[in-house]
Amino acid sequence: MIVLVGFMGAGKTTVGRILARRLGVPFRDSDVVIEQRAGRPIRQIFAEEGEPAFRDLEHKVIADLLDGTDSVLALGGGAVQRADTRDLLKDVPVAYLRISYAEAMRRVGGDQGRPMLVRPDVAQLHAERDLVYAEAATVTVDAGTSPPEAIARDILTLLADAEAS
Ligand code: ADP
Ligand code: MG
Protein backbone atom coordinates (compact mmCIF):
# COMPACT_ATOMS: atom_id res chain seq x y z
CA MET A 1 0.00 0.00 0.00
CA ILE A 2 1.20 3.47 -0.86
CA VAL A 3 -0.96 6.49 -0.08
CA LEU A 4 -0.52 9.73 -2.03
CA VAL A 5 -1.48 13.09 -0.58
CA GLY A 6 -1.14 16.62 -1.84
CA PHE A 7 -3.00 19.64 -3.11
CA MET A 8 -5.22 19.41 -6.17
CA GLY A 9 -3.11 19.35 -9.30
CA ALA A 10 -0.10 17.83 -7.54
CA GLY A 11 -0.30 14.79 -9.79
CA LYS A 12 -1.70 12.21 -7.36
CA THR A 13 -3.78 10.57 -10.10
CA THR A 14 -1.11 10.81 -12.79
CA VAL A 15 1.78 9.62 -10.62
CA GLY A 16 -0.42 7.14 -8.77
CA ARG A 17 -1.28 5.30 -11.99
CA ILE A 18 2.40 5.01 -12.86
CA LEU A 19 3.28 3.73 -9.39
CA ALA A 20 0.47 1.18 -9.45
CA ARG A 21 1.56 -0.12 -12.84
CA ARG A 22 5.15 -0.47 -11.64
CA LEU A 23 4.10 -2.30 -8.49
CA GLY A 24 1.49 -4.44 -10.24
CA VAL A 25 -1.32 -3.35 -7.92
CA PRO A 26 -4.56 -1.47 -8.64
CA PHE A 27 -4.71 2.31 -8.51
CA ARG A 28 -7.53 3.71 -6.41
CA ASP A 29 -8.69 7.26 -5.99
CA SER A 30 -10.80 8.04 -2.92
CA ASP A 31 -12.70 10.75 -4.84
CA VAL A 32 -13.70 8.29 -7.55
CA VAL A 33 -14.86 5.68 -5.02
CA ILE A 34 -16.88 8.33 -3.17
CA GLU A 35 -18.62 9.32 -6.41
CA GLN A 36 -19.37 5.66 -7.19
CA ARG A 37 -20.78 5.03 -3.72
CA ALA A 38 -22.82 8.21 -3.61
CA GLY A 39 -23.90 7.89 -7.24
CA ARG A 40 -23.23 11.59 -7.69
CA PRO A 41 -20.32 13.85 -8.54
CA ILE A 42 -18.40 15.34 -5.60
CA ARG A 43 -19.48 18.81 -6.64
CA GLN A 44 -23.10 17.73 -6.14
CA ILE A 45 -22.45 16.05 -2.76
CA PHE A 46 -20.84 19.31 -1.59
CA ALA A 47 -23.75 21.37 -2.85
CA GLU A 48 -26.49 19.12 -1.47
CA GLU A 49 -25.06 17.96 1.84
CA GLY A 50 -22.21 20.29 2.66
CA GLU A 51 -18.55 19.68 3.33
CA PRO A 52 -18.83 17.98 6.77
CA ALA A 53 -21.12 15.25 5.38
CA PHE A 54 -18.74 14.82 2.45
CA ARG A 55 -15.78 14.44 4.86
CA ASP A 56 -17.69 11.77 6.84
CA LEU A 57 -18.26 9.77 3.69
CA GLU A 58 -14.65 10.32 2.66
CA HIS A 59 -13.42 9.02 5.99
CA LYS A 60 -15.42 5.81 5.66
CA VAL A 61 -14.29 5.25 2.09
CA ILE A 62 -10.62 5.72 2.97
CA ALA A 63 -10.90 3.38 5.96
CA ASP A 64 -12.43 0.71 3.70
CA LEU A 65 -9.82 1.17 0.98
CA LEU A 66 -6.95 0.89 3.47
CA ASP A 67 -8.58 -2.27 4.77
CA GLY A 68 -8.94 -3.76 1.32
CA THR A 69 -6.52 -5.21 -1.21
CA ASP A 70 -3.05 -3.76 -1.62
CA SER A 71 -3.14 -0.70 -3.88
CA VAL A 72 -1.77 2.73 -4.62
CA LEU A 73 -4.33 5.04 -3.08
CA ALA A 74 -4.67 8.72 -3.95
CA LEU A 75 -6.58 10.74 -1.38
CA GLY A 76 -8.71 13.78 -2.06
CA GLY A 77 -6.79 16.99 -1.35
CA GLY A 78 -8.80 17.80 1.78
CA ALA A 79 -8.89 14.35 3.35
CA VAL A 80 -6.02 15.08 5.74
CA GLN A 81 -7.88 18.00 7.28
CA ARG A 82 -9.60 15.65 9.66
CA ALA A 83 -7.62 14.25 12.57
CA ASP A 84 -9.51 10.96 12.52
CA THR A 85 -8.68 10.51 8.84
CA ARG A 86 -5.01 11.37 9.50
CA ASP A 87 -5.05 8.70 12.22
CA LEU A 88 -5.91 6.09 9.58
CA LEU A 89 -2.59 6.86 7.88
CA LYS A 90 -0.29 6.34 10.86
CA ASP A 91 1.01 2.91 9.90
CA VAL A 92 0.89 3.30 6.11
CA PRO A 93 3.61 4.64 3.76
CA VAL A 94 2.41 8.09 2.74
CA ALA A 95 4.01 10.18 0.00
CA TYR A 96 3.34 13.92 -0.13
CA LEU A 97 3.48 15.31 -3.66
CA ARG A 98 4.45 18.89 -2.97
CA ILE A 99 3.55 21.61 -5.45
CA SER A 100 3.47 25.40 -5.29
CA TYR A 101 0.16 27.23 -5.32
CA ALA A 102 1.02 28.88 -8.64
CA GLU A 103 1.79 25.56 -10.29
CA ALA A 104 -1.40 24.00 -8.89
CA MET A 105 -3.47 26.79 -10.41
CA ARG A 106 -1.67 26.49 -13.74
CA ARG A 107 -2.61 22.82 -13.83
CA VAL A 108 -6.20 22.79 -12.55
CA GLY A 109 -7.30 26.43 -12.35
CA GLY A 110 -10.09 25.93 -14.90
CA ASP A 111 -11.37 22.55 -13.74
CA GLN A 112 -15.10 22.75 -12.89
CA GLY A 113 -15.09 19.38 -11.13
CA ARG A 114 -12.93 20.64 -8.26
CA PRO A 115 -15.17 22.24 -5.62
CA MET A 116 -12.37 23.72 -3.53
CA LEU A 117 -11.42 26.05 -6.39
CA VAL A 118 -14.49 28.19 -5.73
CA ARG A 119 -13.28 29.05 -2.25
CA PRO A 120 -12.01 32.61 -1.94
CA ASP A 121 -9.27 31.49 0.47
CA VAL A 122 -7.81 28.78 -1.73
CA ALA A 123 -4.28 30.27 -1.53
CA GLN A 124 -4.40 30.22 2.25
CA LEU A 125 -5.78 26.72 2.17
CA HIS A 126 -2.75 25.66 0.14
CA ALA A 127 -0.39 27.17 2.70
CA GLU A 128 -2.18 25.54 5.65
CA ARG A 129 -2.38 22.16 4.06
CA ASP A 130 1.29 22.13 3.16
CA LEU A 131 2.08 21.71 6.86
CA VAL A 132 -0.57 19.07 7.40
CA TYR A 133 0.50 17.02 4.38
CA ALA A 134 4.15 17.16 5.43
CA GLU A 135 3.22 16.07 8.93
CA ALA A 136 1.14 13.14 7.68
CA ALA A 137 3.76 12.02 5.16
CA THR A 138 6.46 9.40 5.43
CA VAL A 139 8.28 11.09 2.51
CA THR A 140 7.85 14.38 0.65
CA VAL A 141 8.70 14.81 -3.04
CA ASP A 142 8.89 17.88 -5.25
CA ALA A 143 6.03 17.23 -7.66
CA GLY A 144 6.11 20.60 -9.43
CA THR A 145 9.15 20.52 -11.66
CA SER A 146 9.84 17.02 -12.98
CA PRO A 147 7.86 14.61 -15.16
CA PRO A 148 5.48 12.12 -13.52
CA GLU A 149 7.75 9.12 -14.22
CA ALA A 150 10.63 10.78 -12.33
CA ILE A 151 8.34 11.62 -9.42
CA ALA A 152 7.14 8.01 -9.23
CA ARG A 153 10.76 6.84 -9.18
CA ASP A 154 11.63 9.35 -6.43
CA ILE A 155 8.76 8.11 -4.30
CA LEU A 156 9.83 4.47 -4.57
CA THR A 157 13.45 5.34 -3.76
CA LEU A 158 12.58 7.53 -0.79
CA LEU A 159 10.08 5.04 0.64
CA ALA A 160 12.62 2.22 0.33
CA ASP A 161 15.17 4.41 2.17
CA ALA A 162 12.62 5.28 4.85
CA GLU A 163 11.78 1.64 5.35
CA ALA A 164 15.44 0.65 5.60
CA SER A 165 16.24 3.23 8.27
P1 ADP B 1 -4.31 15.44 -8.72
O1 ADP B 1 -4.85 14.04 -8.88
O2 ADP B 1 -3.26 15.52 -7.63
O3 ADP B 1 -5.33 16.51 -8.54
P2 ADP B 1 -3.65 15.12 -11.49
O4 ADP B 1 -2.84 13.88 -11.58
O5 ADP B 1 -5.09 15.05 -11.89
O6 ADP B 1 -3.51 15.78 -10.06
O7 ADP B 1 -2.91 16.21 -12.39
C1 ADP B 1 -3.50 17.50 -12.63
C2 ADP B 1 -3.02 18.01 -13.99
O8 ADP B 1 -1.63 18.23 -13.96
C3 ADP B 1 -3.26 17.00 -15.11
O9 ADP B 1 -3.60 17.72 -16.26
C4 ADP B 1 -1.93 16.30 -15.28
O10 ADP B 1 -1.73 15.86 -16.58
C5 ADP B 1 -0.95 17.42 -14.92
N1 ADP B 1 0.26 16.88 -14.26
C6 ADP B 1 0.32 15.99 -13.25
N2 ADP B 1 1.59 15.75 -12.88
C7 ADP B 1 2.37 16.52 -13.68
C8 ADP B 1 3.79 16.72 -13.78
N3 ADP B 1 4.67 16.10 -13.00
N4 ADP B 1 4.24 17.60 -14.72
C9 ADP B 1 3.36 18.24 -15.52
N5 ADP B 1 2.01 18.11 -15.48
C10 ADP B 1 1.52 17.25 -14.56
MG1 MG C 1 -6.72 13.24 -8.71
Side-chain angles (χ1 to χ4, degrees):
M1 192 74 69
I2 298 178
V3 173
L4 303 180
V5 299
F7 208 64
M8 55 189 159
K12 299 179 294 297
T13 301
T14 309
V15 174
R17 286 189 198 286
I18 295 169
L19 280 172
R21 197 164 57 230
R22 282 205 192 179
L23 296 170
V25 299
F27 171 70
R28 305 239 187 277
D29 194 317
S30 65
D31 282 347
V32 172
V33 177
I34 290 165
E35 292 190 337
Q36 286 166 350
R37 258 200 217 182
R40 288 168 291 170
I42 286 173
R43 183 171 20 87
Q44 193 182 346
I45 307 172
F46 258 71
E48 291 176 354
E49 294 177 44
E51 184 172 352
F54 170 78
R55 297 289 170 211
D56 285 343
L57 177 58
E58 181 175 52
H59 179 85
K60 291 196 197 91
V61 165
I62 292 169
D64 288 350
L65 288 169
L66 289 171
D67 234 15
T69 55
D70 193 20
S71 66
V72 173
L73 171 60
L75 301 189
V80 297
Q81 269 175 213
R82 279 216 346 207
D84 61 344
T85 303
R86 288 200 297 279
D87 285 346
L88 295 173
L89 304 176
K90 283 212 166 109
D91 298 317
V92 188
V94 179
Y96 169 26
L97 280 68
R98 182 182 233 152
I99 187 180
S100 69
Y101 176 68
E103 182 62 22
M105 290 306 115
R106 266 196 290 278
R107 290 185 188 174
V108 301
D111 189 338
Q112 298 296 312
R114 296 179 184 260
M116 303 314 280
L117 278 176
V118 304
R119 288 176 55 147
D121 59 339
V122 63
Q124 194 195 330
L125 196 67
H126 174 275
E128 286 169 6
R129 283 194 187 162
D130 180 50
L131 305 172
V132 186
Y133 293 136
E135 180 84 24
T138 317
V139 300
T140 296
V141 293
D142 172 9
T145 50
S146 33
E149 291 75 14
I151 297 163
R153 197 187 52 224
D154 288 350
I155 289 170
L156 291 176
T157 305
L158 288 168
L159 281 177
D161 288 352
E163 216 163 284
S165 64

Short mmCIF file of all heavy atoms in Angstrom, two decimals, residues 99-139:
data_model
loop_
_atom_site.label_atom_id
_atom_site.label_comp_id
_atom_site.label_asym_id
_atom_site.label_seq_id
_atom_site.Cartn_x
_atom_site.Cartn_y
_atom_site.Cartn_z
N ILE A 99 3.65 20.74 -4.27
CA ILE A 99 3.55 21.61 -5.45
C ILE A 99 3.23 23.02 -4.97
O ILE A 99 2.53 23.20 -3.97
CB ILE A 99 2.46 21.04 -6.39
CG1 ILE A 99 2.40 21.77 -7.72
CG2 ILE A 99 1.10 21.05 -5.74
CD1 ILE A 99 1.32 21.22 -8.63
N SER A 100 3.76 24.02 -5.68
CA SER A 100 3.47 25.40 -5.29
C SER A 100 2.02 25.75 -5.65
O SER A 100 1.41 25.11 -6.50
CB SER A 100 4.41 26.37 -6.01
OG SER A 100 4.09 26.40 -7.39
N TYR A 101 1.52 26.78 -5.02
CA TYR A 101 0.16 27.23 -5.32
C TYR A 101 0.06 27.67 -6.79
O TYR A 101 -0.90 27.32 -7.48
CB TYR A 101 -0.20 28.39 -4.39
CG TYR A 101 -1.55 28.98 -4.69
CD1 TYR A 101 -2.70 28.24 -4.46
CD2 TYR A 101 -1.68 30.26 -5.22
CE1 TYR A 101 -3.95 28.77 -4.75
CE2 TYR A 101 -2.92 30.79 -5.51
CZ TYR A 101 -4.05 30.04 -5.27
OH TYR A 101 -5.28 30.55 -5.56
N ALA A 102 1.06 28.39 -7.25
CA ALA A 102 1.02 28.88 -8.64
C ALA A 102 0.97 27.72 -9.63
O ALA A 102 0.18 27.74 -10.58
CB ALA A 102 2.25 29.76 -8.92
N GLU A 103 1.77 26.70 -9.38
CA GLU A 103 1.79 25.56 -10.29
C GLU A 103 0.46 24.79 -10.23
O GLU A 103 -0.06 24.35 -11.26
CB GLU A 103 2.98 24.64 -9.96
CG GLU A 103 3.13 23.43 -10.87
CD GLU A 103 3.39 23.76 -12.34
OE1 GLU A 103 3.86 24.88 -12.63
OE2 GLU A 103 3.10 22.91 -13.20
N ALA A 104 -0.10 24.67 -9.03
CA ALA A 104 -1.40 24.00 -8.89
C ALA A 104 -2.46 24.71 -9.72
O ALA A 104 -3.24 24.08 -10.43
CB ALA A 104 -1.82 23.95 -7.42
N MET A 105 -2.46 26.03 -9.66
CA MET A 105 -3.47 26.79 -10.41
C MET A 105 -3.22 26.71 -11.91
O MET A 105 -4.16 26.65 -12.71
CB MET A 105 -3.49 28.26 -9.95
CG MET A 105 -4.04 28.45 -8.55
SD MET A 105 -5.68 27.71 -8.32
CE MET A 105 -5.30 26.46 -7.12
N ARG A 106 -1.96 26.68 -12.31
CA ARG A 106 -1.67 26.49 -13.74
C ARG A 106 -2.25 25.18 -14.23
O ARG A 106 -2.79 25.08 -15.32
CB ARG A 106 -0.14 26.48 -13.97
CG ARG A 106 0.44 27.83 -14.35
CD ARG A 106 1.85 27.70 -14.94
NE ARG A 106 2.84 27.30 -13.94
CZ ARG A 106 3.44 28.13 -13.09
NH1 ARG A 106 3.14 29.42 -13.10
NH2 ARG A 106 4.31 27.69 -12.22
N ARG A 107 -2.18 24.15 -13.38
CA ARG A 107 -2.61 22.82 -13.83
C ARG A 107 -4.12 22.63 -13.77
O ARG A 107 -4.69 22.00 -14.64
CB ARG A 107 -1.94 21.74 -12.98
CG ARG A 107 -0.45 21.61 -13.25
CD ARG A 107 0.12 20.44 -12.46
NE ARG A 107 1.58 20.40 -12.55
CZ ARG A 107 2.32 19.55 -11.87
NH1 ARG A 107 1.76 18.68 -11.04
NH2 ARG A 107 3.64 19.58 -12.00
N VAL A 108 -4.77 23.11 -12.72
CA VAL A 108 -6.20 22.79 -12.55
C VAL A 108 -7.10 24.00 -12.37
O VAL A 108 -8.28 23.85 -12.06
CB VAL A 108 -6.43 21.82 -11.34
CG1 VAL A 108 -5.67 20.53 -11.52
CG2 VAL A 108 -6.06 22.49 -10.02
N GLY A 109 -6.56 25.19 -12.60
CA GLY A 109 -7.30 26.43 -12.35
C GLY A 109 -8.66 26.52 -13.04
O GLY A 109 -9.58 27.16 -12.54
N GLY A 110 -8.83 25.84 -14.18
CA GLY A 110 -10.09 25.93 -14.90
C GLY A 110 -11.00 24.72 -14.76
O GLY A 110 -12.01 24.62 -15.43
N ASP A 111 -10.65 23.82 -13.83
CA ASP A 111 -11.37 22.55 -13.74
C ASP A 111 -12.64 22.67 -12.90
O ASP A 111 -12.59 22.85 -11.69
CB ASP A 111 -10.43 21.49 -13.14
CG ASP A 111 -11.01 20.08 -13.19
OD1 ASP A 111 -12.25 19.95 -13.30
OD2 ASP A 111 -10.23 19.13 -13.13
N GLN A 112 -13.80 22.56 -13.55
CA GLN A 112 -15.10 22.75 -12.89
C GLN A 112 -15.42 21.65 -11.87
O GLN A 112 -16.27 21.82 -11.01
CB GLN A 112 -16.22 22.76 -13.95
CG GLN A 112 -16.12 23.90 -14.94
CD GLN A 112 -16.28 25.25 -14.29
OE1 GLN A 112 -17.20 25.46 -13.52
NE2 GLN A 112 -15.35 26.16 -14.56
N GLY A 113 -14.77 20.51 -12.01
CA GLY A 113 -15.09 19.38 -11.13
C GLY A 113 -14.42 19.46 -9.77
O GLY A 113 -14.53 18.54 -8.97
N ARG A 114 -13.69 20.55 -9.51
CA ARG A 114 -12.93 20.64 -8.26
C ARG A 114 -13.54 21.71 -7.37
O ARG A 114 -13.29 22.90 -7.54
CB ARG A 114 -11.46 20.94 -8.57
CG ARG A 114 -10.81 19.79 -9.36
CD ARG A 114 -9.38 20.09 -9.68
NE ARG A 114 -8.77 19.06 -10.51
CZ ARG A 114 -7.96 18.09 -10.06
NH1 ARG A 114 -7.67 18.02 -8.79
NH2 ARG A 114 -7.44 17.22 -10.88
N PRO A 115 -14.36 21.28 -6.39
CA PRO A 115 -15.17 22.24 -5.62
C PRO A 115 -14.35 23.22 -4.79
O PRO A 115 -14.81 24.33 -4.53
CB PRO A 115 -16.04 21.35 -4.72
CG PRO A 115 -15.38 20.02 -4.69
CD PRO A 115 -14.64 19.88 -5.98
N MET A 116 -13.14 22.83 -4.39
CA MET A 116 -12.37 23.72 -3.53
C MET A 116 -11.91 24.98 -4.28
O MET A 116 -11.60 25.99 -3.67
CB MET A 116 -11.13 23.01 -2.97
CG MET A 116 -11.44 21.75 -2.18
SD MET A 116 -12.80 21.94 -1.01
CE MET A 116 -11.95 22.76 0.33
N LEU A 117 -11.89 24.90 -5.60
CA LEU A 117 -11.42 26.05 -6.39
C LEU A 117 -12.32 27.27 -6.24
O LEU A 117 -11.89 28.39 -6.48
CB LEU A 117 -11.34 25.67 -7.87
CG LEU A 117 -10.08 24.93 -8.30
CD1 LEU A 117 -10.20 24.55 -9.77
CD2 LEU A 117 -8.84 25.76 -8.06
N VAL A 118 -13.59 27.05 -5.85
CA VAL A 118 -14.49 28.19 -5.73
C VAL A 118 -14.28 28.94 -4.41
O VAL A 118 -14.80 30.02 -4.22
CB VAL A 118 -15.98 27.78 -5.85
CG1 VAL A 118 -16.22 27.04 -7.16
CG2 VAL A 118 -16.41 26.93 -4.67
N ARG A 119 -13.49 28.36 -3.53
CA ARG A 119 -13.28 29.05 -2.25
C ARG A 119 -12.41 30.28 -2.44
O ARG A 119 -11.40 30.24 -3.13
CB ARG A 119 -12.62 28.09 -1.25
CG ARG A 119 -13.58 27.04 -0.77
CD ARG A 119 -12.91 26.05 0.13
NE ARG A 119 -12.24 26.66 1.27
CZ ARG A 119 -12.14 26.07 2.45
NH1 ARG A 119 -12.70 24.89 2.65
NH2 ARG A 119 -11.49 26.64 3.43
N PRO A 120 -12.79 31.39 -1.78
CA PRO A 120 -12.01 32.61 -1.94
C PRO A 120 -10.63 32.50 -1.27
O PRO A 120 -9.71 33.23 -1.62
CB PRO A 120 -12.87 33.68 -1.26
CG PRO A 120 -13.76 32.94 -0.33
CD PRO A 120 -13.97 31.58 -0.93
N ASP A 121 -10.50 31.59 -0.31
CA ASP A 121 -9.27 31.49 0.47
C ASP A 121 -8.40 30.31 0.01
O ASP A 121 -7.69 29.71 0.81
CB ASP A 121 -9.61 31.32 1.95
CG ASP A 121 -10.46 30.07 2.21
OD1 ASP A 121 -11.09 29.58 1.25
OD2 ASP A 121 -10.49 29.59 3.35
N VAL A 122 -8.49 29.99 -1.28
CA VAL A 122 -7.81 28.78 -1.73
C VAL A 122 -6.28 28.87 -1.59
O VAL A 122 -5.61 27.88 -1.33
CB VAL A 122 -8.28 28.37 -3.16
CG1 VAL A 122 -7.92 29.42 -4.17
CG2 VAL A 122 -7.77 27.01 -3.56
N ALA A 123 -5.73 30.10 -1.70
CA ALA A 123 -4.28 30.27 -1.53
C ALA A 123 -3.87 29.98 -0.08
O ALA A 123 -2.87 29.31 0.18
CB ALA A 123 -3.86 31.68 -1.92
N GLN A 124 -4.69 30.47 0.83
CA GLN A 124 -4.40 30.22 2.25
C GLN A 124 -4.55 28.75 2.60
O GLN A 124 -3.78 28.18 3.38
CB GLN A 124 -5.34 31.07 3.11
CG GLN A 124 -4.91 31.14 4.56
CD GLN A 124 -6.01 31.65 5.46
OE1 GLN A 124 -6.86 32.42 5.03
NE2 GLN A 124 -6.00 31.21 6.71
N LEU A 125 -5.55 28.15 1.98
CA LEU A 125 -5.78 26.72 2.17
C LEU A 125 -4.54 25.93 1.75
O LEU A 125 -4.12 24.99 2.44
CB LEU A 125 -6.96 26.32 1.30
CG LEU A 125 -7.65 25.00 1.55
CD1 LEU A 125 -8.34 25.02 2.90
CD2 LEU A 125 -8.69 24.74 0.44
N HIS A 126 -3.96 26.33 0.63
CA HIS A 126 -2.75 25.66 0.14
C HIS A 126 -1.63 25.77 1.18
O HIS A 126 -0.96 24.79 1.48
CB HIS A 126 -2.33 26.28 -1.20
CG HIS A 126 -1.03 25.76 -1.71
ND1 HIS A 126 0.19 26.28 -1.31
CD2 HIS A 126 -0.74 24.73 -2.54
CE1 HIS A 126 1.15 25.61 -1.90
NE2 HIS A 126 0.62 24.66 -2.66
N ALA A 127 -1.45 26.96 1.73
CA ALA A 127 -0.39 27.17 2.70
C ALA A 127 -0.62 26.35 3.98
O ALA A 127 0.31 25.73 4.52
CB ALA A 127 -0.28 28.66 3.04
N GLU A 128 -1.86 26.30 4.43
CA GLU A 128 -2.18 25.54 5.65
C GLU A 128 -1.98 24.05 5.44
O GLU A 128 -1.44 23.34 6.28
CB GLU A 128 -3.63 25.78 6.06
CG GLU A 128 -3.86 27.14 6.68
CD GLU A 128 -5.36 27.45 6.82
OE1 GLU A 128 -6.19 26.56 6.54
OE2 GLU A 128 -5.67 28.58 7.19
N ARG A 129 -2.45 23.60 4.30
CA ARG A 129 -2.38 22.16 4.06
C ARG A 129 -0.96 21.67 3.87
O ARG A 129 -0.66 20.52 4.16
CB ARG A 129 -3.22 21.80 2.84
CG ARG A 129 -4.70 21.78 3.16
CD ARG A 129 -5.43 21.11 2.06
NE ARG A 129 -6.88 21.20 2.25
CZ ARG A 129 -7.74 21.00 1.27
NH1 ARG A 129 -7.30 20.73 0.06
NH2 ARG A 129 -9.02 21.08 1.50
N ASP A 130 -0.10 22.53 3.36
CA ASP A 130 1.29 22.13 3.16
C ASP A 130 1.87 21.53 4.44
O ASP A 130 2.52 20.49 4.42
CB ASP A 130 2.11 23.35 2.71
CG ASP A 130 3.57 23.00 2.48
OD1 ASP A 130 3.84 22.02 1.77
OD2 ASP A 130 4.43 23.70 3.03
N LEU A 131 1.58 22.18 5.56
CA LEU A 131 2.08 21.71 6.86
C LEU A 131 1.45 20.38 7.25
O LEU A 131 2.10 19.49 7.76
CB LEU A 131 1.81 22.75 7.94
CG LEU A 131 2.35 24.15 7.65
CD1 LEU A 131 1.86 25.14 8.71
CD2 LEU A 131 3.86 24.13 7.60
N VAL A 132 0.16 20.28 6.99
CA VAL A 132 -0.57 19.07 7.40
C VAL A 132 -0.13 17.87 6.54
O VAL A 132 0.07 16.77 7.06
CB VAL A 132 -2.10 19.29 7.27
CG1 VAL A 132 -2.86 18.09 7.82
CG2 VAL A 132 -2.51 20.56 8.00
N TYR A 133 0.03 18.11 5.25
CA TYR A 133 0.50 17.02 4.38
C TYR A 133 1.89 16.55 4.83
O TYR A 133 2.15 15.35 4.91
CB TYR A 133 0.62 17.49 2.93
CG TYR A 133 -0.66 17.83 2.21
CD1 TYR A 133 -0.75 18.98 1.42
CD2 TYR A 133 -1.77 16.99 2.26
CE1 TYR A 133 -1.90 19.29 0.72
CE2 TYR A 133 -2.93 17.31 1.56
CZ TYR A 133 -2.98 18.45 0.80
OH TYR A 133 -4.13 18.77 0.10
N ALA A 134 2.77 17.51 5.06
CA ALA A 134 4.15 17.16 5.43
C ALA A 134 4.17 16.36 6.73
O ALA A 134 4.93 15.40 6.88
CB ALA A 134 4.99 18.43 5.56
N GLU A 135 3.31 16.75 7.64
CA GLU A 135 3.22 16.07 8.93
C GLU A 135 2.69 14.63 8.78
O GLU A 135 3.16 13.72 9.46
CB GLU A 135 2.26 16.89 9.82
CG GLU A 135 2.03 16.35 11.21
CD GLU A 135 3.12 16.77 12.18
OE1 GLU A 135 3.78 17.81 11.92
OE2 GLU A 135 3.30 16.05 13.18
N ALA A 136 1.75 14.46 7.87
CA ALA A 136 1.14 13.14 7.68
C ALA A 136 2.02 12.21 6.86
O ALA A 136 1.81 10.99 6.85
CB ALA A 136 -0.22 13.28 6.99
N ALA A 137 3.02 12.79 6.16
CA ALA A 137 3.76 12.02 5.16
C ALA A 137 4.96 11.28 5.73
O ALA A 137 5.62 11.76 6.64
CB ALA A 137 4.23 12.95 4.05
N THR A 138 5.23 10.11 5.17
CA THR A 138 6.46 9.40 5.43
C THR A 138 7.59 10.05 4.63
O THR A 138 8.71 10.20 5.13
CB THR A 138 6.33 7.92 4.99
OG1 THR A 138 5.06 7.42 5.41
CG2 THR A 138 7.45 7.07 5.55
N VAL A 139 7.29 10.41 3.37
CA VAL A 139 8.28 11.09 2.51
C VAL A 139 7.59 12.22 1.75
O VAL A 139 6.38 12.16 1.47
CB VAL A 139 8.93 10.11 1.49
CG1 VAL A 139 9.65 8.98 2.22
CG2 VAL A 139 7.91 9.54 0.51
#
